[in-house]
Amino acid sequence: MKPVVVRNVAIGEAIPKICVPIVGKTIDEILNQAKHICEIGADVVEWRVDWFEEVNHYESVENAAKQLRDILGETPILFTFRTAKEGGERAIEPDEYVELNEKIAKSGYVDLVDVEAFIGDTYVEKVVKTSHECGVKVIASNHDFRKTPPKAELISRMRKMQELGADIPKIAVMPQSTEDVLTLLSATEEMRRCYADRPVITMSMEGTGVVSRMCGEVFGSALTFGAAGKVSAPGQIDVEELRTVLGIIHKSL
């Protein structure tokens, strides 16, 4: 498996990388969160643009992205519009979703975009093609906030993401039991061992699944999400605590 290198960060190599989300509604909130993240450190910053109150005006989105780039410097920026059906803040039509992701990829201000893998193959392939033409990496994602699908289904979804050309497949699921957490971890391990030719990201949400956010180096998840204030998904833990635990696990391997 070859790591995905974004600026100076190699995702999929050694210790899992930490991504910290920005979930501000206003430009001031967004920029203040970015400054705070600079103080505490992160390997990748995710801008959850579905939280942004001016997301329907692309000029405002691009202006915010430019200011984020100025603040974050060489820290990679992941651009994510999480749709309401996958736990995000608002709904969006597929054509508008594709247009937004293509425009931001062309802007030069972001390093990765997140595309929801099951919005439709044609839409996904369009975002992947445009992003790659612009030198932008793609995370194909799928989120289930109700349950944890069977192991075979989790693996099938990640393999589908690879087939669609995504640089990194990502799966996030909701556990109904501790057994569900083991299902997610087992699927991650088998995906890495048998099928993956690129890094993958997996996580089990809520408190029950928090262990999955910390043991990626053991089971095969290349990036984990930590909180620096407001969380963007249930189960995220403080970035400083996460960094400490990842370091301890890394030293023990």
Side-chain angles (χ1 to χ4, degrees):
M1 181 192 302
K2 296 175 64 175
V4 171
V5 180
V6 186
R7 294 186 181 262
N8 295 317
V9 177
I11 302 170
E13 183 176 271
I15 191 168
K17 303 306 181 284
I18 297 175
C19 181
V20 179
I22 289 175
V23 290
K25 293 183 177 181
T26 68
I27 186 65
D28 286 342
E29 290 175 355
I30 290 166
L31 299 182
N32 285 335
Q33 287 179 33
K35 292 172 184 175
H36 178 55
I37 292 170
C38 285
E39 294 173 358
I40 63 174
D43 297 304
V44 179
V45 172
E46 179 185 41
W47 180 23
R48 278 286 303 274
V49 73
D50 52 294
W51 284 74
F52 184 32
E53 62 186 13
E54 296 183 62
V55 68
N56 292 327
H57 304 284
Y58 178 72
E59 294 78 8
S60 298
V61 173
E62 184 170 345
N63 177 58
K66 181 181 184 301
Q67 293 185 71
L68 280 176
R69 170 54 63 214
D70 291 342
I71 291 170
L72 294 169
E74 288 301 304
T75 302
I77 298 174
L78 164 62
F79 180 87
T80 300
F81 186 110
R82 183 68 61 235
T83 66
K85 67 180 181 179
E86 293 213 12
E89 290 299 294
R90 64 187 75 206
I92 189 172
E93 292 299 318
D95 288 335
E96 295 174 356
Y97 177 84
V98 170
E99 182 181 13
L100 175 62
N101 280 287
E102 286 188 308
K103 281 184 174 180
I104 202 67
K106 293 175 182 177
S107 73
Y109 297 128
V110 306
D111 306 287
L112 308 100
V113 297
D114 178 300
V115 59
E116 292 176 4
F118 299 104
I119 196 170
D121 288 3
T122 301
Y123 297 116
V124 174
E125 289 168 348
K126 201 165 186 294
V127 173
V128 169
K129 182 176 184 294
T130 300
S131 298
H132 285 171
E133 289 173 350
C134 299
V136 172
K137 306 296 185 183
V138 179
I139 295 176
S141 65
N142 177 233
H143 303 75
D144 192 326
F145 280 80
R146 295 180 298 108
K147 65 184 185 306
T148 298
K151 175 180 174 180
E153 175 63 21
L154 292 171
I155 293 171
S156 174
R157 292 183 188 184
M158 287 186 278
R159 294 183 70 183
K160 173 71 170 179
M161 295 170 188
Q162 285 194 156
E163 293 167 5
L164 289 170
D167 299 283
I168 306 174
K170 175 193 173 191
I171 289 273
V173 294
M174 184 66 71
Q176 300 299 324
S177 65
T178 53
E179 184 180 3
D180 282 347
V181 181
L182 294 176
T183 296
L184 183 278
L185 294 174
S186 181
T188 306
E189 188 278 331
E190 185 171 326
M191 179 68 188
R192 176 179 66 174
R193 176 167 47 86
C194 300
Y195 307 109
D197 59 3
R198 64 203 70 186
V200 301
I201 301 168
T202 66
M203 67 205 71
S204 183
M205 294 184 277
E206 293 285 11
T208 305
V210 74
V211 65
S212 69
R213 298 179 179 273
M214 300 183 288
C215 61
E217 192 169 1
V218 177
F219 290 92
S221 181
L223 182 144
T224 188
F225 289 77
K230 194 167 185 177
V231 303
S232 63
Q236 285 178 2
I237 60 178
D238 179 78
V239 64
E240 296 286 3
E241 296 176 7
L242 184 58
R243 184 180 293 117
T244 298
V245 173
L246 291 175
I248 292 170
I249 292 174
H250 179 69
K251 289 178 181 179
S252 69
L253 294 177

